[in-house]
Amino acid sequence: MRDTVHHPLFARFYARMSVTMDAKGGVAAYRRELLAGLSGRVIEVGAGNGLNFAHYPRAVSEVVAIEPERRLRQLAATAGMRAEVPVDVVPGVAEALPVKSEAFDAAVASLVLCTVRDLPRALAELRRVLRPGGELRFFEHGLAEGRAMATAQRALDRTVWPLLFGGCHTARDPLAAITAAGFEVVTRRRIRIPETGPGAPTSPCVLGVARRAD
């Protein structure tokens, strides 16, 4: 059966570049900040090659990691075996999470909301699987504040960028989407990370915590 998400060339590229970005671009430190203080059951969507797994605190009792792309899922499974917390890597997409409602204490979205096909639906699913008051930890690409950069992002999103980079759309507004989906943003800060492809040398991102509002 063909996978719902199939980006074999991008998967190979991302598997190499993400490791470089962590080691030389400072992204590993953002991953640690993103996951600090988590406990209980956690669901991570778009786990990629599993680079977050090494940074989960030991207070986390289980990580259910959803990854739709086969090659990345295989790499994530290998990373999961090396993690200090239990990690279960399973196929699935963010828009239809294969788990029960209100089953998790926290959810993690790390550099993935830019790639999902239906952002409101994906966030609605994350809200569904979180217990009341549960946290959404997010580290996501976002629309630049400067007009020139934002215009360039929109132009790239309409043309080559999604085709080259696994469906990524850099001009989305994750904060607005998270709020509209029924979350209360508790903390947030804007950062810039090294770009993985052509265009600007760094990419605007936002890192923060939101809570399921009830």
Side-chain angles (χ1 to χ4, degrees), residues 7 10 13 21 114-115 141 149 152-172 193-204:
H7 298 299
F10 172 76
F13 167 78
M21 290 166 61
C114 58
T115 68
H141 289 113
M149 180 62 178
Q153 286 177 292
R154 293 189 179 100
L156 287 169
D157 282 0
R158 289 193 298 268
T159 53
V160 299
W161 198 269
L163 296 175
L164 294 176
F165 295 100
C168 176
H169 294 77
T170 63
R172 289 179 176 174
I193 63 171
E195 192 50 80
T196 59
T202 59
S203 179

Side-chain angles (χ1 to χ4, degrees), residues 22 28 31-32 34-35 38 42-58 60 62-67 72-90 108 110:
D22 271 31
R31 296 185 191 277
R32 286 193 294 271
L34 174 72
L35 305 175
L38 285 177
V42 179
I43 184 167
E44 179 176 340
V45 295
N49 50 341
L51 293 184
N52 279 337
F53 299 165
H55 304 294
Y56 276 101
R58 292 187 178 181
V60 170
E62 179 188 18
V63 176
V64 175
I66 310 296
E67 175 51 51
L72 292 176
R73 189 166 63 246
Q74 292 170 345
L75 294 172
T78 300
M81 290 188 289
R82 298 192 299 264
E84 295 186 355
V85 300
V87 177
D88 184 17
V89 180
V90 298
V108 173
S110 176

Side-chain angles (χ1 to χ4, degrees), residues 8 15 24 42 55 83 116 139 141 152 155 177 181 195 205 214:
K24 299 182 179 180
V42 179
H55 304 294
V116 298
F139 171 28
H141 289 113
E195 192 50 80
C205 293
D214 292 289

Side-chain angles (χ1 to χ4, degrees), residues 101-106 126-135 211-214:
S101 299
E102 300 187 357
F104 294 90
D105 301 292
L126 286 172
R127 189 180 186 281
R128 175 184 69 81
V129 304
L130 279 174
R131 63 169 176 76
E135 286 187 349
R211 185 173 294 116
R212 174 180 158 172
D214 292 289

Side-chain angles (χ1 to χ4, degrees), residues 10-20 49 71-72 75:
F10 172 76
R12 289 181 173 85
F13 167 78
Y14 181 79
R16 294 193 302 269
M17 287 302 299
S18 59
V19 172
T20 300
N49 50 341
R71 180 176 179 84
L72 292 176
L75 294 172

Side-chain angles (χ1 to χ4, degrees), residues 181-198:
F183 291 92
E184 177 188 358
V185 176
V186 179
T187 65
R188 63 184 180 186
R189 72 183 186 97
R190 296 189 179 275
I191 56 178
R192 300 185 73 87
I193 63 171
E195 192 50 80
T196 59

